Amino acid sequence: MEGKGLTMENPFHDLNVIGCSELFKMFHFEKISRQTTYNVAFDGNKGALDELTFKHMVDNSEITYYNFCRYV
């Protein structure tokens, strides 16, 4: 396992943010925040880095994941 998406240094790549939000919703998480940093260089590509935080609807635990989307 690589643990992708759990740190800024090892983000998911090019995931559809809306689709991921819906996936987390299936597991009873709701999105509580989203921050985007633009013009980030990662692996020789320039793009945007999203930081998305979700809260579990039952036990209130939180998870943050990162997604890098390269500019086309």
Side-chain angles (χ1 to χ4, degrees):
M1 291 180 60
E2 295 181 38
K4 284 201 175 266
L6 302 176
T7 65
M8 282 194 239
E9 297 78 27
N10 194 22
F12 290 123
H13 289 267
D14 300 318
L15 293 178
N16 178 311
V17 176
I18 294 170
C20 286
S21 294
E22 291 299 313
L23 176 64
F24 276 92
K25 189 185 282 186
M26 281 181 22
F27 294 102
H28 309 289
F29 283 90
E30 63 180 338
K31 186 169 53 174
I32 57 172
S33 70
R34 177 182 177 190
Q35 295 179 341
T36 303
T37 304
Y38 298 96
N39 297 318
V40 174
F42 192 80
D43 285 343
N45 295 300
K46 208 168 191 185
L49 182 67
D50 283 331
E51 177 182 310
L52 295 116
T53 301
F54 295 88
K55 185 175 185 176
H56 196 268
M57 294 178 208
V58 176
D59 67 8
N60 292 323
S61 61
E62 293 184 10
I63 186 170
T64 299
Y65 86 86
Y66 300 87
N67 183 39
F68 177 77
C69 292
R70 60 189 161 85
Y71 296 147
V72 283

